[in-house]
Amino acid sequence: MRRYGKHTDEDDVRVRPNRKGNRPRTNIRPKHEDAADGFVLTIDRGRLTVLVEDRTITAMKARELGRKAVVVGDQVSVVGDLSGAKDTLARIVRVQDRSSVLRRTADDDDPYERVVVANADQLAIVTALADPEPRPRLIDRCLVAAYDGGLEPLLVLTKADLASAEPLLETYEPLGVPYVVTSREELADGEAAERVRERLKGRVTAFVGHSGVGKTTLVNALVPERKRATGRVNAVTGRGRHTTTSALALPLPGGSGWVIDTPGVRSFGLNHIDPSRVIHAFPDLEPGTEDCPRACSHDEKDCALDQWVTDGHADPARLYSLRRLLATRERREGD
Ligand code: ZN
């Protein structure tokens, strides 16, 4: 699987003022050699549900982690009471480097973009072909978030019985995004889940999609245990119904991968997209940027990619798609 480098400290995009005397701390922290490895399944009001071996335990972030966020999908080290018994609370003392990040956009309640899912291999973008109409610019935003964060995208197109998938697939053909096309009937009888499952084997896949596109139906079909899993999470947190604001990691049957449902992710934070990370997902174009002016937007007069394509090194449709994706940063959602 592709990796685009470390994303360790990008959960907090605020720039800390570089105070005078801001030198590294010298106190040696306890090593927590007895810590156990855990995987963060969901978060509810500061309480994290963590999978440790085959148990789910409740944990909170240790003070020593400071402002570092812990998110769903994080691989962590936990100490304390790891029994998972009622009313016990473990502490998360370390967060492993992340192989990928998915950021949600800033909103009225919170002006900062934040990582909501870590370490997902894949981003499944669930889109209906009709009712509701597909929104290609929204799909573009999802793709940019995936490429920038180090996830491989997967298009899941639903309701093919209402409209043809061809026009949409034509748009994304130059990007080579893998896809699954399904009908309402296939979604209802589990056939769609069967086909999607083939794409999820051995991977961690985050699912995004607006209401009405069939995402919940699909996730429930992929993880028949979903309701039970959610119940188990509640039993551990003791906090009633699972809130719909946090992502929730669910194991695929047979240990063949993970589905991370993201009910809270309606849009992605694209303010801090690094074009070089996006271009990394275009190995045919990336070498062509060597002759670009410094800090090239790749959509300007002196951009070397035009010559690169003219010289036959890459397909012009690929450059067009890349530029369309990079331009999503300047657009508002729903444009
Ligand atoms: Zn350029």
Side-chain angles (χ1 to χ4, degrees), residues 289 292-293 296-299 303-305:
T289 63
C292 282
C296 183
S297 67
H298 304 304
D299 200 6
C303 178
L305 285 173

Side-chain angles (χ1 to χ4, degrees), residues 97-142:
D97 286 351
R98 293 168 179 158
S99 59
S100 77
V101 293
L102 195 59
R103 282 191 207 87
R104 70 146 171 73
T105 195
D107 59 33
D108 294 342
D109 294 334
D110 181 351
Y112 304 107
E113 294 185 356
R114 291 188 197 280
V115 173
V116 283
V117 174
N119 301 319
D121 302 303
Q122 195 165 235
L123 181 66
I125 305 160
V126 188
T127 304
L129 291 161
D131 187 30
E133 288 294 306
R135 293 157 64 183
R137 285 179 185 169
L138 187 59
I139 299 173
D140 284 351
R141 291 176 67 90
C142 294

Side-chain angles (χ1 to χ4, degrees), residues 16-192:
R16 210 184 283 237
N18 193 7
R19 272 184 247 107
K20 211 174 155 194
N22 191 7
R23 57 183 111 75
R25 297 180 195 187
T26 50
N27 58 318
I28 294 162
R29 295 172 188 165
K31 286 276 197 292
H32 298 299
E33 275 166 6
D34 55 340
D37 294 335
F39 175 62
V40 178
L41 300 177
T42 192
I43 301 171
D44 183 11
R45 284 163 282 179
R47 294 289 188 265
L48 299 98
T49 302
V50 181
L51 182 70
V52 176
E53 290 168 10
D54 57 354
R55 304 184 300 283
T56 49
I57 66 166
T58 304
M60 60 181 290
K61 206 173 84 168
R63 184 176 296 198
E64 64 204 72
L65 286 179
R67 284 185 3 200
K68 178 155 188 66
V70 184
V71 303
V72 173
D74 264 329
Q75 301 283 352
V76 296
S77 300
V78 280
V79 298
D81 190 331
L82 306 179
S83 67
K86 197 171 179 288
D87 295 330
T88 58
L89 192 58
R91 281 183 306 130
I92 295 174
V93 292
R94 266 196 304 271
V95 181
Q96 311 302 334
D97 286 351
R98 293 168 179 158
S99 59
S100 77
V101 293
L102 195 59
R103 282 191 207 87
R104 70 146 171 73
T105 195
D107 59 33
D108 294 342
D109 294 334
D110 181 351
Y112 304 107
E113 294 185 356
R114 291 188 197 280
V115 173
V116 283
V117 174
N119 301 319
D121 302 303
Q122 195 165 235
L123 181 66
I125 305 160
V126 188
T127 304
L129 291 161
D131 187 30
E133 288 294 306
R135 293 157 64 183
R137 285 179 185 169
L138 187 59
I139 299 173
D140 284 351
R141 291 176 67 90
C142 294
L143 290 173
V144 172
Y147 291 139
D148 180 67
L151 295 84
E152 289 183 40
L154 170 69
L155 281 181
V156 180
L157 305 177
T158 61
K159 306 191 188 182
D161 47 305
L162 294 180
S164 165
E166 283 314 311
L168 207 59
L169 290 177
E170 228 166 78
T171 305
Y172 294 100
E173 203 271 324
L175 290 171
V177 181
Y179 60 86
V180 180
V181 181
T182 65
S183 66
R184 283 179 299 177
E185 196 188 349
E186 290 167 323
L187 202 59
D189 69 13
E191 168 70 27

